[in-house]
Amino acid sequence: MQDPRLLELRRRLPQLRLLTDPADLAYYGQDWTRRWTPAPLAVALPIDIAEVQGVVCWANEQHVAIVPSGGRTGLSGGAVAANGELVLSLTRMQRVLEFDPIDRLLRVQPGLTLEAAQTAAREHGLIYPVDLGSRGSCSIGGNIATNAGGLHVIRHGNTRSWIAGLKVVTGAGELLDLNRGLVKDASGYDLRQLMIGSEGTLGVVVEALLQLTAPLPASQVMLLGLPGVDALMQVFDLFRARVSLQAFEFFSDRGLQHVLANGARRALDGEHAYYVVVEFDAALAAERQAGEEAFGLAQQQGWVDDGVVAQSAAQAAALWRLREGITEALAPRGPYKTDVSVRIGALPEFVREVQALLRDGFPQLEVVWFGHIGDGNLHINLLPPESMGSEAFGNLRGEVTSLLAAALSRHGGSISAEHGIGLVKREYLSSSRSGAEIALMRGIRASFDPNGVLNPGKLFTAD
Ligand code: S2G
Ligand code: ZN
């Protein structure tokens, strides 16, 4: 460790764990995007808020960029350190600090995994209702930085609905204690909400107050096979009107084929254009009956060709694996992943339009559709043919994204629904946000991080 800047950091914070071993730099310098060669200056693993503040103050004086880092499960490059930044990993700060039974608040450190937070909530007979497939490795701090959504947004909303308070260290090194668990506070701008989804560019999350809630009632899970995209919306509208939805997730037959090839068991005979996993409240016999009536009505209308109702928790889990297993099943093919949103009502027209554009423009790419119908959020994953080299596919990625961005602009949609902008989509930010909005966002960023040390190059093009 000869870099004088690191020697200065070591002098200031003699207890700070600081890694410079090449293997550590590689491990901590990347997230799930795998498109950039990790090349951080070093990795700092603070143990408390004081060390975080010390590192940020050092970074301002030494003009070193910082990449805040949690579980590094991001899909937009938000936690990538490829330009000599210092990775500020919060993984050593992963304790549950306190539970308040009256406010039903869990005070946690940012490095706590989502799964550990869910477990801690259950120990108090409550739930923390955000849920993602990456629950075992994603961190609460990272969920907050990207306003993570996941599988139950239709019932519980995104992460921002469940953060009752936040402690953050700003880019200037100030410690802010935001909202402090208040249900109501009309004393000016809600800086807590501004922080949520800011992708580590406004502040480093160093503590969070998670709002817990009563567990969901017993549920029923169905897998339905649908003939086409219009049926998707008809079935969604029908079930939404008749049962209390907990989740409504869809995937295309191509998605199912990959999950089956990856070892999942087929649950429905025949081939269907789309599949839906629908989960709804079913504690009462009347609720179960309403679900079965909805299923029967959808079949009568020709919106559902076939379906299966899970008869046990194990079978429900097996049906969910068909949806949750898509990311893992596609990973070996190095897909180009997208995460777009349009208004729910615009989905059928948007899907048809983009399907035609992709079919006509990129017939060589395999297209897998899946996502969260109830949130208007689609994950279109594009797989290159085995014969296509990474450079050729890289060029196509840009063309596909430009096509998608133009289609989204026509539908008033967003280039990023839940994964964030990070590095992957910063060139396309203007397809979803106006010049005036981007200028205001840059101004806000300059207020919280006057020297631009926090995650420079993320969210915005050249700072
Ligand atoms: C999902 C996970 C990441 C992906 O499964 O809902 O957000 O696009 C995605 O594979
Ligand atoms: Zn998703």
Side-chain angles (χ1 to χ4, degrees), residues 150 249 323 339 370-372 377 379 418-419:
E249 296 287 315
R323 162 64 178 87
D339 160 47
F370 63 101
H372 323 274
N377 181 187
H379 295 303
E418 59 178 3
H419 296 167

Side-chain angles (χ1 to χ4, degrees), residues 45-365:
L45 295 102
I47 194 67
D48 58 24
I49 294 174
E51 285 196 341
V52 174
Q53 283 185 283
V55 171
V56 175
C57 292
W58 163 85
N60 276 276
E61 288 163 33
Q62 301 288 327
H63 309 293
V64 176
I66 287 175
V67 174
S69 175
R72 292 170 299 103
T73 59
L75 292 156
S76 297
V80 165
N83 300 298
E85 307 95 329
L86 180 89
V87 172
L88 182 62
S89 171
L90 284 309
T91 46
R92 289 183 70 211
M93 293 171 68
Q94 52 171 280
R95 289 183 296 126
V96 174
L97 299 172
E98 183 186 12
F99 171 66
D100 175 336
I102 303 301
D103 289 274
R104 293 181 154 184
L105 295 179
L106 199 67
R107 191 159 63 90
V108 303
Q109 291 188 311
L112 188 72
T113 65
L114 172 58
E115 191 165 55
Q118 292 170 338
T119 302
R122 276 196 297 273
E123 286 163 5
H124 297 290
L126 299 169
I127 61 168
Y128 175 62
V130 175
D131 191 26
L132 310 173
S134 56
R135 60 185 73 83
S137 41
C138 67
S139 70
I140 289 296
N143 286 179
I144 291 168
T146 58
N147 185 28
L151 302 169
H152 296 292
V153 168
I154 195 169
R155 180 65 168 265
H156 284 128
N158 287 302
T159 292
R160 70 168 68 257
S161 301
W162 299 96
I163 305 300
L166 266 187
K167 282 184 183 173
V168 297
V169 174
T170 69
E174 300 150 309
L175 176 61
L176 304 180
D177 188 358
L178 301 175
N179 201 64
R180 303 179 305 283
L182 297 176
V183 175
K184 291 183 174 177
D185 177 7
S187 61
Y189 303 147
D190 187 337
L191 301 185
R192 162 206 42 172
Q193 290 298 351
L194 191 59
M195 280 291 160
I196 299 170
S198 59
E199 300 189 43
T201 61
L202 301 183
V204 181
V205 175
V206 289
E207 198 173 288
L209 276 175
L210 305 184
Q211 182 65 63
L212 306 185
T213 188
L216 282 167
S219 65
Q220 193 142 64
V221 179
M222 292 180 181
L223 174 72
L224 307 174
L226 281 60
V229 68
D230 286 318
L232 262 179
M233 298 318 294
Q234 305 288 9
V235 172
F236 170 66
D237 202 31
L238 175 69
F239 271 81
R240 182 176 53 177
R242 292 169 174 269
V243 295
S244 296
L245 287 173
Q246 295 186 13
F248 192 94
E249 296 287 315
F250 96 109
F251 50 95
S252 63
D253 186 60
R254 290 309 310 146
L256 176 68
Q257 296 313 318
H258 283 279
V259 172
L260 296 177
N262 198 35
R265 289 183 52 210
R266 176 177 291 279
L268 210 48
D269 294 334
E271 199 170 295
H272 308 278
Y274 295 98
Y275 297 84
V276 162
V277 176
V278 52
E279 183 164 14
F280 56 90
D281 292 0
L284 308 172
E287 292 172 324
R288 290 191 292 278
Q289 187 179 342
E292 281 152 24
E293 283 170 4
F295 180 5
L297 265 172
Q299 280 186 302
Q300 283 169 21
Q301 297 289 336
W303 299 333
V304 166
D305 297 330
D306 193 1
V308 60
V309 181
Q311 299 305 314
S312 66
Q315 196 180 5
L319 297 183
W320 266 115
R321 243 189 312 282
L322 300 176
R323 162 64 178 87
E324 289 197 287
I326 295 174
T327 299
E328 178 193 332
L330 298 183
R333 295 288 304 277
Y336 177 48
K337 309 178 81 60
T338 71
D339 160 47
V340 298
S341 58
V342 293
R343 286 179 56 168
I344 300 171
L347 277 172
E349 188 188 334
F350 178 77
V351 169
R352 270 194 295 273
E353 183 179 324
V354 172
Q355 279 180 330
L357 288 168
L358 292 175
R359 188 177 49 241
D360 301 346
F362 307 91
Q364 71 276 46
L365 298 183

